[in-house]
Amino acid sequence: FENAGIVLKEDQAIAMGNYYFTDLSGAETKVEYTFGYQLHAGRLHINLHHSSLPYAHERTEKTIFRMQRAALFSGSLFG
């Protein structure tokens, strides 16, 4: 994964960046993520999570197939 940035404010933080799924054939799919964290009673909690494929104006059938295959291997279903 690669962090694009982290913002800290008082007892909260937001991290954004990219992670990559690689399927068995070696094809890589980039996914953008955002995580929000909050420190409460000395424990760090995730209070926000969002992941999505980068916006692409036009997706080919091959790209859609790779996205679906990556979703199956990651345990999530996005489309």
Side-chain angles (χ1 to χ4, degrees):
F1 73 95
E2 56 189 24
N3 275 327
I6 298 174
V7 176
L8 302 172
K9 184 176 180 183
E10 299 175 12
D11 63 347
Q12 298 184 45
I14 295 178
M16 298 175 69
N18 304 304
Y19 46 72
Y20 300 86
F21 294 102
T22 305
D23 67 18
L24 295 176
S25 72
E28 193 173 77
T29 300
K30 177 181 175 180
V31 178
E32 298 174 341
Y33 69 83
T34 303
F35 277 97
Y37 303 94
Q38 184 168 20
L39 189 61
H40 180 71
R43 297 183 63 187
L44 190 62
H45 298 270
I46 296 172
N47 63 359
L48 167 74
H49 169 247
H50 176 77
S51 295
S52 62
L53 296 168
Y55 176 76
H57 179 63
E58 186 177 317
R59 292 198 171 126
T60 64
E61 287 184 30
K62 183 178 180 181
T63 302
I64 293 169
F65 174 75
R66 290 168 97 183
M67 293 177 343
Q68 291 170 336
R69 188 169 51 187
L72 290 174
F73 285 110
S74 72
S76 64
L77 295 174
F78 56 88

